[in-house]
Amino acid sequence: LVGQEARYRNIHQAAQNNRESLQRRLKKTDEEAALAARALTNARSAETRTQGQLAEKQEALRVLERQIGDVRQQLEMKSGKLSEQIKQGQALDLERNKHRSRYTTLKKMEDNYEWYRDGVRAIMQRISPEKRAQNGIRGLVADVMTPEPGYEVAVEAALGESLQYVLVDGQQHAHQAIDYLHKQSSGRSGFVPLDTFRPLAKSAAELPPPETCLLHHVRVEDGYQHIAEALFRHVAVVDDLPAATARFNRNGVFQTIVTRKGEIVTCQGAFVGGGGDTTAGILAQKQEIRELASQIQTLDRRIAGAREIQAALESEVRTLETDLQVLLTEKHQTVEEEIDAQKKCYRAAEDLKAAQRHHEIVQLEQDRLQGEESDIGQEIERYHQVLSEIAGDVEQTQNQVATASAELE
């Protein structure tokens, strides 16, 4: 019994030692389980955080796509407007160049007196402006009279050759100019002395009313009104030849009547008119020069305005192109950041899976050790009961031996 007791005590002690070892291992496993739980929590937080970052980048990309679409739409609209504005500016430039070419041609002809007789050109071209002023030469009748638009033909018809007459201060200046033409063999010209030029002798009753007088439709330079009155104060203007004929037959006075087309009923009743001559007259060409100059000035202003609009559109287009480039660069960077966020999200998901597996393994190990601890505890309890029973048997046996020994003595 004593040997059996000793053997069971050794077994009991071994079980106690195993239990203590299991408790140490279980404590370590508990610590590992706590670390695994924290790692799992951190992994879940990291996954949530990376998913949030990925969602932010994806939303940022959607916003950038909308902004890029808006800017591209505005850029397309502004570029279209700029293209149309450039075409409009080119059309205006082309129109102005055409007017300038025509204006330059007519102005050169006017400056060279190509519309005038040889004698007029000789006086106005060969004699310098200073010399002309010294010799009392003022200019031409055509230069001091400007008809209203639409009355050029009528005025030219009424004045006839006198439209090319040279204005001089006095009769002696006319003599000098004619003598000059004789000596130079430069043709003929008419001269109008400002101090002695006289109108036709007519009473006020014989003159046409101011509203029907051709002079009423002509602007005359200051200082030459008496010349204009002398030349055609007696000329009435009507719309057409039937009206001119009716007026001549009705008034019975000594008047010249001219139509706006240039047809004439003379004061004596002769008719002058016809067609075939399509060349514009001096006054019509001068009027065209004035109109071209006005049109060129208008076109200059329109072109300047068009260029300002074009410059503003070009600035807006450049700004939009810059904005688009900035947005595209930002989008490219955001795409790279999205890819990086996707990688981080994938790594966080893998880390979470690894943390979950590790946590599960630690929990399984913890459960296994706890089971072993429970089994060892039950085994120790069983050995403890066996030892108690053996100890009782040993004590009983010792008492019996003691009693037997006493009896033997």
Side-chain angles (χ1 to χ4, degrees), residues 20-48:
E20 291 175 358
S21 177
L22 278 173
Q23 287 177 344
R24 287 193 298 272
R25 289 169 60 191
L26 185 58
K27 182 179 179 181
K28 185 177 180 181
T29 302
D30 290 340
E31 292 175 352
E32 290 180 358
L35 290 174
R38 284 197 296 272
L40 180 60
T41 301
N42 292 336
R44 284 173 177 165
S45 299
E47 184 190 36
T48 302

Side-chain angles (χ1 to χ4, degrees), residues 240-357:
D240 51 35
L241 190 57
T245 303
R247 183 182 181 87
F248 177 82
N249 292 332
R250 182 176 63 251
N251 62 18
V253 296
F254 198 75
Q255 292 181 359
T256 297
I257 306 169
V258 63
T259 70
R260 294 180 65 173
K261 292 182 179 180
E263 299 154 331
I264 300 174
V265 179
T266 68
C267 56
Q268 294 174 302
F271 288 83
V272 180
D277 185 7
T278 59
T279 304
I282 294 173
L283 295 179
Q285 288 174 323
K286 284 179 172 292
Q287 177 63 27
E288 185 178 358
I289 289 174
R290 287 190 293 271
E291 290 176 353
L292 286 171
S294 176
Q295 291 170 357
I296 290 170
Q297 289 180 349
T298 301
L299 286 170
D300 286 340
R301 290 192 295 271
R302 291 180 62 189
I303 289 172
R307 286 176 177 170
E308 289 180 1
I309 295 173
Q310 179 178 332
L313 286 171
E314 288 174 346
S315 177
E316 291 178 6
V317 168
R318 285 194 298 270
T319 300
L320 288 171
E321 288 175 341
T322 301
D323 292 344
L324 180 59
Q325 188 59 43
V326 170
L327 288 172
L328 290 174
T329 301
E330 187 176 353
K331 178 188 174 182
H332 178 72
Q333 182 179 354
T334 305
V335 168
E336 292 182 348
E337 291 175 353
E338 182 197 23
I339 294 172
D340 185 61
Q342 288 176 340
K343 292 178 180 179
K344 288 181 180 179
C345 194
Y346 174 78
R347 287 195 296 268
E350 292 299 314
D351 291 344
L352 177 59
K353 291 178 182 178
Q356 287 174 336
R357 287 194 297 269

